[in-house]
Amino acid sequence: MEIRKSKLELSYRQFCIFNEDVINPFNEWDVDRVAQGFSIRKDSLSVMSINEYGTLNVCLLKNSEMLNNANRIIEFEYKIKNDFLIIATITAEMKFKVQKGNWVIRIQLVQENDSEESCYISFEKKQQGISYPHYIKFDDEITKHDNFIIDSNPA
């Protein structure tokens, strides 16, 4: 069940999720980070979108349903500092209220067509025995599946 839905315009094949107090939230990318599909540092997750540009439909989910039609599903451990997170592209952002604390953010990407994709985000409790980041499902563009680089610099 969706609790909030919004649209953002994609550019440079990325979007970012970050705490609202982060200055310069977008992260550097290199060949290895592109291969793993994300570039992260404390308080900031830059995620590679499926499409280079177009519309990103952002849907916050109230429950932890897994989407059968997702092209990619990845989970990140994340500390929400103060009841708000921001999801942004280079040109726009949306702010949403989430209970502060330690969470696992599950991101499910679904390619709708060549210029539109959907990003479903849910907040989960950490599971024992799983190390994060953690791919549940990935497509052919993701070629690095483990030994992730998790210490990026601001872009």
Side-chain angles (χ1 to χ4, degrees), residues 35-36 133-135 138-140 142-148:
Q36 70 187 21
H134 169 73
Y135 269 106
F138 52 85
D139 57 15
D140 291 342
I142 306 303
T143 57
K144 184 174 175 59
H145 309 133
D146 54 19
N147 298 318
F148 296 124

Side-chain angles (χ1 to χ4, degrees), residues 37-155:
F38 58 87
S39 180
I40 63 175
R41 61 187 159 99
K42 184 180 178 195
D43 299 330
S44 175
L45 311 170
S46 291
V47 179
M48 186 172 79
S49 59
I50 296 169
N51 295 326
E52 177 76 29
Y53 59 89
T55 301
L56 179 68
N57 302 308
V58 179
C59 307
L60 299 185
L61 299 175
K62 189 173 186 174
N63 55 25
S64 60
E65 67 186 282
M66 292 279 209
L67 303 173
N68 292 331
N69 62 336
N71 299 81
R72 292 182 201 149
I73 304 173
I74 188 167
E75 295 176 330
F76 298 95
E77 190 172 359
Y78 195 80
K79 182 175 184 172
I80 299 171
K81 291 182 179 177
N82 52 25
D83 295 334
F84 288 98
L85 274 184
I86 296 174
I87 182 167
T89 62
I90 300 296
T91 59
E93 67 180 39
M94 67 177 274
K95 182 177 179 179
F96 52 96
K97 187 171 177 68
V98 178
Q99 183 179 356
K100 68 181 173 182
N102 294 317
W103 292 98
V104 170
I105 298 177
R106 179 180 296 152
I107 299 170
Q108 301 183 74
L109 297 177
V110 178
Q111 185 170 24
E112 308 294 350
N113 58 52
D114 288 343
S115 63
E116 183 176 9
E117 71 185 85
S118 295
C119 174
Y120 296 88
I121 300 172
S122 58
F123 300 89
E124 315 291 332
K125 296 290 183 189
K126 185 175 178 180
Q127 296 179 25
Q128 294 286 350
I130 295 180
S131 58
Y132 298 96
H134 169 73
Y135 269 106
I136 296 170
K137 185 176 181 182
F138 52 85
D139 57 15
D140 291 342
E141 290 189 90
I142 306 303
T143 57
K144 184 174 175 59
H145 309 133
D146 54 19
N147 298 318
F148 296 124
I149 301 167
I150 56 171
D151 59 347
S152 188
N153 294 310

